[in-house]
Amino acid sequence: MLYFFDDPAAVVAEARRILKAGGTFATCAPSRYDCPELHAVLPPEAFEETFASEDIPGVLDAFFADVEINVWDAPMFDLPDHETVRGYLHAHYYPLFTADEADAAAAQITTPLKLTKRGAWGVGRKRS
């Protein structure tokens, strides 16, 4: 959930500080390239996350040892119709989309749609 913070590295540094030696830290995040099937209708702000899966290796490597990264990149969700696409856009990208804006964007998407989800999770261990 590091994408909720303005300075994700500071949050990870604090987590490292309070962990005992041998403790583990884990994080996950969607990719900046998540849901490529929707990119044409997303506003530029949708790509301005402070932290994305592409950032996980660098942040974890800076603070932890034995870092392991696991990536996902697969077609995962079926969006059968425009109403489902509208609901996904409004829920997932709120407040970037009002209900009306999500409806207008969904009208531009060909359905049914198989949505590709991309991201990663990573873990690191504190040595000392």
Side-chain angles (χ1 to χ4, degrees), residues 63-84:
F63 297 100
F64 297 102
D66 305 324
V67 171
E68 181 181 333
I69 309 295
N70 296 280
V71 175
W72 66 82
D73 183 350
M76 294 188 187
F77 294 117
D78 291 312
L79 303 179
D81 52 39
H82 288 101
E83 183 63 23
T84 307

Side-chain angles (χ1 to χ4, degrees), residues 26-101:
T27 188
C28 69
S31 169
R32 286 187 178 88
Y33 309 102
D34 190 36
C35 305
E37 300 83 0
L38 300 177
H39 283 198
V41 300
L42 296 177
E45 300 90 329
F47 305 100
E48 296 176 0
E49 297 285 349
T50 61
F51 187 81
S53 64
E54 293 81 10
D55 302 317
I56 293 173
V59 170
L60 290 186
D61 286 340
F63 297 100
F64 297 102
D66 305 324
V67 171
E68 181 181 333
I69 309 295
N70 296 280
V71 175
W72 66 82
D73 183 350
M76 294 188 187
F77 294 117
D78 291 312
L79 303 179
D81 52 39
H82 288 101
E83 183 63 23
T84 307
V85 173
R86 185 205 64 76
Y88 183 90
L89 289 169
H90 184 58
H92 192 73
Y93 293 100
Y94 179 84
L96 298 179
F97 280 115
T98 65
D100 288 342
E101 290 166 335

Side-chain angles (χ1 to χ4, degrees), residues 9-20 24-25 64 126:
V11 175
V12 176
E14 181 63 10
R16 185 192 185 287
R17 185 188 71 76
I18 64 170
L19 277 173
K20 293 180 182 179
T24 58
F25 176 83
F64 297 102
K126 181 178 178 180

